[in-house]
Amino acid sequence: MAEVAADPNVLLGVLANVKGGDFTARMPLDWTGTAGKVADELNDVIIANQTLEAELARVSLAVGEQGRLSQRVALMGSTRGWTDSINSVNGLIEALVRPTIEMHRVIGAVADGDLSKKMSDDVRGEMLDLKTTINAMVDQLNGFVSELTRVAREVGTEGKLGQAAAVTIEVGGVWKDLTDNVNLMAGNLTGQVRNIAMVTTAVANGDLSKKISIDVKGEFLELKNTVNAMVDQLNAFAGEVTRVAREVGVEGKLGGQAQSTGVGGVWKDLTDSVNQLAANLTSQVRAISDAATAVTEGDLSRQVHMEASGEVAALKDTLNKMIRNLDDTTRQNIEQDWLKTNREHFTRMLQGQRDLVTVSTMILSELAPLVGAQHGAFYAMSSPTAEGEQMLELQAGYCVENREVIPTSFRVGEGLVGQCAKEKKRILLTDVPDDYVRVNSGLGSASPLNIIVLPVLFEGSVRAVVELSSFSPFSVAHQAFLDQLPESIGLVLNTIEANSLTEDLLEQSQTLAEDLRSQQEELRKSNTDLESQAKLLAERNTEAEQKNLEVERSKRLLEEKAGQLAVSSKYKTEFIANMSHELRTPLNSLLMLAEQLKDNPDGNMTETQVKYATVILSSGRDLLALLNDILDLAKVESGTISVEMVEMSMDQLRGTLLSEFEHVAERKGLHYSINLGADGPATIVTDPQRLRQILKNLLANAFKFTEQGEVVVDVSLAEGGWSTTAGSLDCSPSVLALSVRDTGVGIETEQQQRIFEAFAQGDGTTSRRFGGTGLGLSITRTLLDLLGGDITVTSRPGEGSTFTVYLPLDRRVSTIRGTTSAELPPASPFRSKPAAVHGSSAPPHVAASDPPPSVNIDDHPFAGSRALVVDDDFRNVFAMTALLERGWAEVYTAENGVEAIALLERTANIDFVLMDVMMPEMDGYTAMRTIRAIGRYDLLPIIAVTGKVVADERERCMKAGASDYVSKPVSMIELLAALRPWFPPDAQRPQ
């Protein structure tokens, strides 16, 4: 084949078409050689471009118009150059499609209400602006939705009115319009709800003047109209109810009813309930008013009749009960008035009557119709016969035609009439048998139903008997009247009897006047005297009644005084106990220490210092004696003093009195003796302490008022000489006389009785020669009264005085308080078995009648012993510690019972305890009982030391657990005597 030559113009034309975008141009296919190859290659290039154009058109249509974003350019068999171009185009598409898909995702989420999605691809340029714009839009929508949600929740759900969406959100257009509309809706809703709430709150608070005034539409308008209509109805309803309540409850206009139209449901029910309440109240008040009006008008038969319950029913019952009680009270008052009126009527009617038959007839005639009796008889007591027998004689009858039908007389105790006179009591018979007695009238006869028999008494003596019978039972008022009337009848009968006696005497005097005219004037005077005696008798009756009233008043006053005296005595007893303790406590340490200083056991004091101590001790003892006198006087006045009657040796009494006053006699240069008569007893039963106190008082006075001569005590039996008021001495088979005789100054006669009064002295001036309180003889007489004795005095001024004490000798062992006897207090159960000291058995306790053994403190009786002193007063602790340590005792101290018990628990071998009674925290009684409750201390010697010198104090201490009892101020001799049973034996006492 011949080669076709290449035509450049063809090539140029094809290239121009291709350049113009016509990829349908082709190079000729018939070119051969190099030109043909160029043509073929150029055609391949044009075909490739045409394919690329078609693929780009397809992808552009699919991606750009059809939205098929997954389409990509694809050329099969393309070379590398074309492949890079295709990859670049596909990369461009991918770069454009990826932000679009991201925007689709975000916008789709926003469309679905999910505002949490944002564009996150890494883009640049305008795509970055688009990304920022979309993300900002999502944030704005998120904030807008949050605000709308908050407003809806707070306003619609939580009820927080007045909320609005924030106007600071940067939105515009429809979003801003939507925000404004939401805020407008919230504002309208807030105003409407608040207006409704204001009205409902006012209604709830009772203010019905408020209404909904806000401008609303639609359903809110209907709600507004409904609420305002409800307020109007409530206002009208409340006005009606208030009117009814005011008229019924305040103004008292009963019968009012609430008229409320146009209401229903609960309001109608409430209106009906108020009307029912008003109606019930009206009916109840009117019923009560009717009953009260009837009671005011005197009709007590009316009762409150109405249906009621609760407190109104209780009021109804109370009013009815009040009316019944008032009816009963009125009836009782009427009966009492009836009783008083008729008693006064009978009293006036019977005044001045002198004839017994007339009086009897008048009584039956008035009494029988008054008490509804149809039959009656009046029997009067006759004068005693020669044998002393009295008869009840028939004086009058009521409806008694034939006196032979009924007895005319009765003996006392015979029949019902006589039995009534014997018992002096009313007799009432009911259901009387038919054949007992008959009451006749013109129309017929019948038996009575009841019979009553009444005694007529005057000053306890029967003067008459009245018998009545009735067809009907005697009422309570009639019986009460019949019980009261006989007293008035008795007075009248007694007056008639007196008048009758007066008339008899007058008749006798007239008879005697005819026979003895010379005695006429005397008889007239006798008659006058008798009339005066009758008047005097009436006056004496009146005076007797007045005296009885005065006696009754005096009795009540005495009872009141007795009660006051009992309370006063109680307070005096407590005062005596407390005062005794307060005075004796400081005096205790003073006397104990002064006694030890006087003894000068260490011998380190001068004779002058010993005299000082002796003067202090003597002054303290004088003060103690004065204190004892004052306390004894207080005990006497309060009635709390007591005596213990035991057997006492006269020799022992003589020895005691000699030893106590011998030194006084020696100092004053007087002769002093005690003479026991041969006829006197060896022992007597008395209170040794009180007898010694009496004789000491007398001896102390004798020595005080005697400057020279002698003081003598004579003891012998006496047959008289005591005062007539000492009844116990008159009744005693024998009387012992103890006379204290001195040669002193003597006593004036006019002063001899006065000296026995409290604080009284022969010379009471401030410049008197002899001192003293004037209590000794007063206490002496009081003590002798308790002992059943007496005291007398004989004296001449300048010659001396003799005081004689008389005592009965038939007394038995006993305890006497005031005037009452009792048994002796039991001995302490802890005294009969004294605790052993250092393992040795103590000797048995010395009997009361045995003389106390002589003990010297300087013999060191407490050597080797341990003593516990319990006292809250440091002065007493010091004094008793000094005394015990002088006797070589090892002393422990405690201030109260608690410390004492604690010290006993931690200290072994305490041999004896001195226990004060009045202490703080735990007193001595409690402490002793507590110590005795501990088993190992049941035999521990405990000596009670107390300043309460009152009755029963010793017994109280013994019952509390004391082994013995010592009163303050403590004497060394008394303390040693109390502790003597528990001293160590001499054989075991350390030397």
Side-chain angles (χ1 to χ4, degrees):
M1 171 184 282
E3 293 184 2
V4 178
D7 188 355
N9 292 323
V10 174
L11 177 58
L12 183 58
V14 171
L15 289 173
N17 290 333
V18 171
K19 179 182 179 183
D22 181 10
F23 294 108
T24 59
R26 300 289 188 268
M27 292 294 290
L29 297 177
D30 54 357
W31 286 6
T32 60
T34 301
K37 291 182 179 180
V38 172
D40 292 336
E41 290 296 331
L42 182 58
N43 285 335
D44 289 338
V45 171
I46 294 171
I47 291 172
N49 285 328
Q50 186 179 14
T51 302
L52 178 58
E53 177 189 14
E55 187 66 16
L56 289 174
R58 181 187 65 79
V59 170
S60 175
L61 176 63
V63 174
E65 295 182 9
Q66 298 178 354
R68 298 162 59 191
L69 301 180
S70 61
Q71 296 297 316
R72 297 295 182 268
V73 178
L75 291 179
M76 302 302 295
S78 58
T79 59
R80 179 178 178 182
W82 294 107
T83 300
D84 292 339
S85 299
I86 292 171
N87 288 339
S88 297
V89 172
N90 287 336
L92 174 62
I93 295 173
E94 184 69 26
L96 292 173
V97 167
R98 189 172 62 253
T100 303
I101 293 174
E102 185 70 11
M103 285 189 292
H104 177 270
R105 181 182 66 82
V106 172
I107 293 173
V110 171
D112 293 337
D114 183 6
L115 299 178
S116 63
K117 301 294 189 294
K118 289 187 180 181
M119 292 182 65
S120 57
D121 286 347
D122 186 13
V123 294
R124 294 179 179 84
E126 294 183 2
M127 294 303 295
L128 178 59
D129 294 338
L130 182 59
K131 169 187 175 182
T132 302
T133 301
I134 291 176
N135 287 341
M137 178 195 71
V138 172
D139 290 337
Q140 289 180 346
L141 288 177
N142 205 353
F144 173 72
V145 170
S146 297
E147 276 295 297
L148 292 183
T149 302
R150 178 185 65 80
V151 172
R153 182 181 68 254
E154 292 181 352
V155 175
T157 303
E158 299 177 359
K160 296 181 180 179
L161 303 179
Q163 302 297 322
V167 297
T168 59
I169 301 176
E170 296 180 359
V171 294
V174 68
W175 304 114
K176 186 176 184 304
D177 295 339
L178 182 58
T179 301
D180 294 339
N181 290 331
V182 169
N183 288 339
L184 179 61
M185 177 193 70
N188 291 337
L189 186 61
T190 296
Q192 295 165 359
V193 172
R194 284 181 174 172
N195 195 214
I196 294 173
M198 178 193 69
V199 174
T200 54
T201 301
V203 172
N205 293 331
D207 183 5
L208 300 178
S209 63
K210 299 290 190 298
K211 289 188 178 182
I212 299 175
S213 59
I214 195 170
D215 189 14
V216 295
K217 298 178 181 179
E219 294 185 6
F220 270 103
L221 179 59
E222 296 178 1
L223 177 61
K224 168 186 175 182
N225 295 333
T226 301
V227 172
N228 288 340
M230 177 193 71
V231 171
D232 291 337
Q233 290 179 348
L234 284 178
N235 207 351
F237 170 74
E240 278 296 299
V241 172
T242 301
R243 178 186 62 80
V244 173
R246 183 181 66 254
E247 290 179 353
V248 176
V250 178
E251 299 176 358
K253 297 178 180 179
L254 303 178
Q257 294 285 293
Q259 304 295 330
S260 183
T261 59
V263 296
V266 68
W267 305 115
K268 187 176 185 306
D269 296 339
L270 184 57
T271 302
D272 295 340
S273 299
V274 170
N275 289 335
Q276 185 179 2
L277 169 66
N280 290 340
L281 185 60
T282 297
S283 61
Q284 293 167 357
V285 170
R286 286 177 176 173
I288 294 173
S289 176
D290 292 343
T293 302
V295 170
T296 304
E297 295 174 353
D299 183 6
L300 299 178
S301 63
R302 295 286 297 274
Q303 294 280 302
V304 180
H305 299 289
M306 63 182 182
E307 294 293 332
S309 59
E311 294 186 6
V312 177
L315 175 62
K316 165 191 169 183
D317 297 338
T318 302
L319 289 174
N320 289 336
K321 183 178 180 181
M322 179 194 71
I323 294 173
R324 290 193 297 271
N325 292 340
L326 186 59
D327 188 20
D328 295 338
T329 303
T330 303
R331 187 179 301 108
Q332 293 174 2
N333 291 336
I334 293 174
E335 292 177 354
Q336 291 297 323
D337 292 341
W338 182 83
L339 289 175
K340 292 178 181 179
T341 301
N342 287 290
R343 283 193 62 184
E344 292 176 357
H345 170 68
F346 271 84
T347 302
R348 290 193 304 269
M349 179 184 71
L350 298 178
Q351 284 181 349
Q353 299 296 327
R354 294 178 176 272
D355 183 63
L356 180 59
V357 176
T358 303
V359 169
S360 303
T361 304
M362 291 175 62
I363 290 174
L364 289 179
S365 299
E366 292 289 335
L367 182 60
L370 185 63
V371 298
Q374 287 76 38
H375 194 276
F378 192 100
Y379 293 87
M381 185 69 72
S382 65
S383 300
T385 61
E387 292 79 13
E389 183 180 10
Q390 288 182 297
M391 299 289 291
L392 289 166
E393 301 290 344
L394 179 65
Q395 300 296 325
Y398 185 80
C399 293
V400 177
E401 299 175 359
N402 187 0
R403 293 201 173 189
E404 296 179 357
V405 177
I406 61 175
T408 58
S409 64
F410 286 96
R411 292 185 178 89
V412 176
E414 179 184 3
L416 291 179
V417 174
Q419 189 64 27
C420 177
K422 181 179 180 180
E423 294 182 355
K424 301 178 182 180
K425 294 181 180 179
R426 182 189 69 185
I427 298 177
L428 176 64
L429 299 181
T430 59
D431 299 329
V432 179
D434 292 339
D435 56 351
Y436 187 80
V437 68
R438 306 291 291 182
V439 178
N440 299 316
S441 71
L443 299 177
S445 64
S447 298
L449 181 62
N450 283 359
I451 293 177
I452 189 169
V453 185
L454 305 170
V456 178
L457 305 177
F458 179 78
E459 296 182 350
S461 176
V462 178
R463 296 306 174 95
V465 174
V466 179
E467 182 178 7
L468 298 171
S469 62
S470 173
F471 291 140
S472 60
F474 292 101
S475 66
V476 176
H478 290 165
Q479 294 183 32
F481 177 70
L482 293 175
D483 288 338
Q484 297 175 9
L485 182 61
E487 180 180 355
S488 301
I489 298 176
L491 181 61
V492 173
L493 295 182
N494 180 71
T495 304
I496 292 175
E497 183 178 353
N499 292 335
S500 176
L501 179 60
T502 303
E503 291 176 356
D504 292 342
L505 293 175
L506 180 60
E507 291 177 359
Q508 294 177 8
S509 65
Q510 289 176 350
T511 302
L512 292 174
E514 293 177 357
D515 298 336
L516 303 172
R517 294 183 180 275
S518 62
Q519 299 178 0
Q520 183 177 5
E521 187 66 25
E522 296 180 0
L523 291 176
R524 187 179 299 109
K525 292 181 179 179
S526 176
N527 293 334
T528 305
D529 291 340
L530 288 175
E531 293 177 357
S532 301
Q533 289 178 2
K535 294 180 180 179
L536 181 61
L537 178 62
E539 293 176 356
R540 287 181 177 178
N541 289 336
T542 305
E543 291 177 357
E545 293 178 357
Q546 294 177 352
K547 288 182 179 180
N548 290 335
L549 294 176
E550 292 177 357
V551 169
E552 186 66 25
R553 286 195 296 269
S554 299
K555 181 181 178 182
R556 289 196 295 269
L557 290 175
L558 288 175
E559 291 175 352
E560 294 176 359
K561 291 292 183 182
Q564 295 173 0
L565 288 175
V567 175
S568 176
S569 176
K570 175 184 176 183
Y571 291 155
K572 283 185 178 179
T573 302
E574 296 175 355
F575 172 78
I576 290 170
N578 294 332
M579 185 58 65
S580 172
H581 179 269
E582 294 301 324
L583 293 177
R584 290 174 181 270
T585 296
L587 193 58
N588 180 56
S589 58
L590 185 147
L591 291 178
M592 292 182 68
L593 294 175
E595 186 175 10
Q596 294 197 62
L597 290 174
K598 182 184 76 68
D599 293 343
N600 193 16
D602 298 331
N604 57 356
M605 295 173 59
T606 66
E607 183 177 354
T608 302
Q609 290 173 334
V610 172
K611 288 183 179 179
Y612 291 164
T614 303
V615 172
I616 294 173
L617 179 61
S618 176
S619 300
R621 286 175 176 172
D622 291 342
L623 182 60
L624 176 62
L626 176 59
L627 173 62
N628 288 334
D629 288 344
I630 294 174
L631 292 178
D632 285 341
L633 181 62
K635 291 179 185 178
V636 168
E637 291 180 351
S638 62
T640 58
I641 194 169
S642 62
V643 296
E644 294 184 6
M645 309 298 289
V646 298
E647 191 172 4
M648 178 183 181
S649 170
M650 296 302 297
D651 289 332
Q652 182 180 353
L653 175 64
R654 180 177 182 276
T656 301
L657 296 177
L658 283 174
S659 62
E660 289 190 8
F661 289 95
E662 275 182 343
H663 65 284
V664 180
E666 292 175 359
R667 178 169 53 84
K668 300 189 69 171
L670 301 175
H671 172 69
Y672 174 45
S673 63
I674 299 178
N675 305 320
L676 298 180
D679 60 344
T683 61
I684 62 173
V685 176
T686 186
D687 187 328
Q689 178 186 357
R690 301 303 179 187
L691 181 57
R692 282 196 293 268
Q693 183 178 356
I694 292 169
L695 295 178
K696 285 180 183 179
N697 284 338
L698 297 178
L699 286 171
N701 286 339
F703 281 107
K704 180 170 68 172
F705 295 107
T706 303
E707 297 293 336
Q708 59 182 358
E710 63 179 0
V711 174
V712 179
V713 179
D714 295 321
V715 181
S716 62
L717 295 178
E719 296 182 356
W722 54 84
S723 63
T724 57
T725 58
S728 58
L729 296 176
D730 294 332
C731 300
S732 178
S734 58
V735 176
L736 182 67
L738 299 96
S739 300
V740 179
R741 174 168 46 85
D742 64 66
T743 57
V745 297
I747 306 171
E748 297 288 345
T749 304
E750 60 270 12
Q751 297 290 338
Q752 291 181 7
Q753 292 302 320
R754 182 176 175 272
I755 59 175
F756 290 102
E757 299 175 3
F759 304 105
Q761 295 178 329
D763 182 8
T765 63
T766 57
S767 61
R768 65 181 183 270
R769 179 181 176 187
F770 301 99
T773 60
L775 293 176
L777 292 178
S778 174
I779 296 173
T780 295
R781 168 163 284 182
T782 302
L783 293 178
L784 281 171
D785 289 340
L786 291 178
L787 295 176
D790 191 21
I791 183 172
T792 61
V793 59
T794 58
S795 178
R796 288 185 179 182
E799 297 181 4
S801 304
T802 301
F803 288 86
T804 304
V805 173
Y806 298 95
L807 292 175
L809 293 181
D810 62 338
R811 306 300 295 268
R812 291 174 294 176
V813 177
S814 64
T815 298
I816 302 176
R817 179 191 304 275
T819 58
T820 60
S821 298
E823 296 299 327
L824 280 172
S828 171
F830 309 103
R831 182 169 182 167
S832 60
K833 298 180 180 179
V837 180
H838 296 297
S840 64
S841 300
H845 182 66
V846 180
S849 60
D850 296 336
S854 176
V855 181
N856 192 341
I857 189 66
D858 294 323
D859 292 338
H860 312 301
F862 306 124
S865 301
R866 290 185 173 185
L868 173 58
V869 177
V870 187
D871 200 315
D872 62 324
D873 192 301
F874 72 93
R875 299 166 296 187
N876 290 330
V877 172
F878 176 78
M880 286 191 285
T881 300
L883 177 62
L884 295 175
E885 288 179 345
R886 180 178 169 187
W888 285 16
E890 182 181 355
V891 182
Y892 297 85
T893 62
E895 291 187 359
N896 54 59
V898 177
E899 293 185 7
I901 295 171
L903 194 145
L904 283 174
E905 292 292 337
R906 66 174 182 268
T907 305
N909 299 327
I910 295 295
D911 295 305
F912 59 89
V913 179
L914 299 182
M915 180 71 69
D916 187 25
V917 171
M918 297 180 69
M919 297 181 293
E921 294 190 34
M922 180 185 289
D923 59 21
Y925 309 117
T926 306
M928 288 188 287
R929 283 191 288 266
T930 305
I931 292 173
R932 293 305 185 195
I934 303 174
R936 62 181 180 276
Y937 297 130
D938 56 349
L939 297 179
L940 176 66
I942 303 177
I943 308 301
V945 182
T946 176
K948 296 177 63 177
V949 185
V950 295
D952 300 334
E953 181 63 19
R954 178 185 183 89
E955 180 181 358
R956 185 178 180 186
C957 291
M958 293 300 184
K959 287 183 178 180
S963 304
D964 208 336
Y965 165 91
V966 177
S967 63
K968 293 180 181 179
V970 178
S971 168
M972 182 189 302
I973 297 176
E974 292 179 356
L975 181 60
L976 293 177
L979 290 173
R980 183 66 183 88
W982 292 279
F983 287 168
D986 295 339
Q988 300 181 11
R989 186 175 300 153
Q991 300 299 324

